[in-house]
Amino acid sequence: MNILITGGAGYIGSHTCVAAYAAGHTMTILDDLSNSSPESLNRIETISGKRPRLVVGDIGDRSVVRSLLDSETFDAVIHFAGFKAVGESVAKPWEYYQNNIAGTLVLLDEMRKHGLYNLVFSSSATVYGNPDPKNLPLREDAPLAAVSPYGQTKLWLEDIMRAMAAADPNWHILLLRYFNPVGAHESGLMGEDPNGIPNNLMPYITQVAIGRLKELTIFGNDYPTRDGTCIRDYIHVCDLAEGHIAALRRVAELPGCTPVNLGSGNGVSVAELVTSFEKALGRPLPHRYGPRRPGDAAACYADASRALELFGWKTKRNADDMCRDAWNWQSKNPQGYHTK
């Protein structure tokens, strides 16, 4: 297949490019590089021996999207591009609605005008809100909610895509709801490199380990869980990338709009993840316990059986693998992709 990957220079997108090349696909990346580095393309080429074409532009810029779809014929789109930090979305809701929703509407409109109807969409477990513990593990038919502007953008876009697919049978859309991506490529050449202070747990841990940040604060140790810390479904980014390629193989065969969880199906606590990381690190990680953060659910993890049923996909890597690969990446790239 020839694939258009929006946001393909980013963390998950770049790992998916490597998986796509391994599966024999070709691709073009559309990315505005606002939260990614063009250096990731050099790393993709080193690992894969092939380099994706990069078009630098915004998915909300109709002239860019139209020109790209005019110039090349694609079999499918994997749509990653979008702002993704929950906390930032609370501070900047307009920017999130404008970029994630308005930008995606432009992309969808140009896709249908060009007869391109196969779409793998990067959704999120945030569409489940703060789940009722009675609903765990979360199935795709669990109640949907949103507790942040970021979560709202994913939920509203899912609603939009469901309505489009119901109105036009040409659409084949897979809504991939993934849980907590962590880790890095086993080579240490590619990994998560957020701008500024990390919003997610694993890059914060690795930056504490490398000395860029002083210590990790674990928010809450009095939750009704086995060790008092929050439980999440962590998924290795390479498993996640392979999940996208497995979805790509089936997207044209699955009519309408289908939500699919991508997760391990197992809950790992924050304290357990820190212990796994300390094993990879070979020394204690500076950390302390702080008060709970408002809105954090005690536990959230997936029922991943639909992905196995539809795609034949399940995770292969465990928490120790995630921590080993994340530390390998950070230790080899102390400043991320900013090597100078």
Side-chain angles (χ1 to χ4, degrees), residues 119-125 127-128 138-142 144 158 162 173-179 235 240 243-244 246-248 250-251 254-264 302-314:
L119 175 64
V120 177
F121 175 58
S122 168
S123 191
S124 167
V127 300
Y128 296 116
L138 287 165
R139 290 165 44 94
E140 288 83 357
D141 58 1
L144 302 181
E158 283 199 7
R162 271 188 287 272
I173 302 174
L174 287 169
L175 308 172
L176 301 188
R177 297 173 179 165
Y178 28 94
F179 281 66
I235 175 173
L240 183 58
H244 284 79
L248 197 65
R250 291 299 314 280
V251 64
L254 296 171
C257 192
T258 307
V260 182
N261 289 335
L262 293 188
S264 70
D303 178 330
S305 57
R306 180 177 286 183
L308 181 60
E309 177 189 348
L310 292 181
F311 310 152
W313 173 90
K314 63 180 180 179

Side-chain angles (χ1 to χ4, degrees), residues 14 28 32 55 79 110 136 154 161 213 229 293:
S14 59
T28 295
D32 67 0
V55 175
H79 179 30
E110 289 301 321
L136 296 176
K154 293 297 186 183
M161 292 177 190
L213 296 171
T229 64
R293 287 186 306 191

Side-chain angles (χ1 to χ4, degrees), residues 273-285:
L273 193 71
V274 170
T275 298
S276 283
F277 191 85
E278 289 177 332
K279 188 189 304 184
L281 187 62
R283 56 181 167 82
L285 181 82

Side-chain angles (χ1 to χ4, degrees), residues 171-291:
W171 284 103
H172 297 253
I173 302 174
L174 287 169
L175 308 172
L176 301 188
R177 297 173 179 165
Y178 28 94
F179 281 66
N180 297 77
V182 296
H185 193 269
E186 63 182 4
S187 66
L189 289 170
M190 288 171 36
E192 190 167 9
D193 184 26
N195 292 332
I197 302 297
N199 291 290
N200 297 324
L201 177 62
M202 184 60 85
Y204 204 104
I205 287 174
T206 61
Q207 290 190 21
V208 169
I210 205 69
R212 289 169 61 180
L213 296 171
K214 181 181 178 182
E215 66 178 0
L216 171 71
T217 299
I218 298 175
F219 297 106
N221 62 349
D222 59 349
Y223 285 96
T225 60
R226 53 185 172 263
D227 59 24
T229 64
C230 290
I231 290 176
R232 296 291 182 266
D233 190 336
Y234 298 99
I235 175 173
H236 196 293
V237 67
C238 291
D239 279 330
L240 183 58
E242 291 162 9
H244 284 79
I245 303 309
L248 197 65
R249 287 196 294 267
R250 291 299 314 280
V251 64
E253 303 167 11
L254 296 171
C257 192
T258 307
V260 182
N261 289 335
L262 293 188
S264 70
N266 299 309
V268 175
S269 77
V270 174
E272 289 166 344
L273 193 71
V274 170
T275 298
S276 283
F277 191 85
E278 289 177 332
K279 188 189 304 184
L281 187 62
R283 56 181 167 82
L285 181 82
H287 66 276
R288 65 180 180 87
Y289 291 96

Side-chain angles (χ1 to χ4, degrees), residues 1-2 4 69 73-78 107-121 161 164-174 248 250-258:
M1 284 187 178
N2 189 32
L4 171 61
L69 295 183
T73 300
F74 296 99
D75 299 299
V77 174
I78 303 179
L107 175 68
L108 294 172
D109 190 32
E110 289 301 321
M111 284 179 65
R112 65 176 183 165
K113 288 176 178 176
H114 286 79
L116 177 55
Y117 290 102
N118 296 327
L119 175 64
V120 177
F121 175 58
M161 292 177 190
M164 288 172 44
D168 184 347
N170 286 307
W171 284 103
H172 297 253
I173 302 174
L174 287 169
L248 197 65
R250 291 299 314 280
V251 64
E253 303 167 11
L254 296 171
C257 192
T258 307

Side-chain angles (χ1 to χ4, degrees), residues 42-64:
N42 295 332
R43 309 299 178 90
I44 293 168
E45 185 174 21
T46 299
I47 295 167
S48 304
K50 299 177 182 178
R51 187 182 186 89
R53 173 192 176 198
L54 172 65
V55 175
V56 179
D58 189 329
I59 57 167
D61 186 334
R62 187 176 294 273
S63 64
V64 170

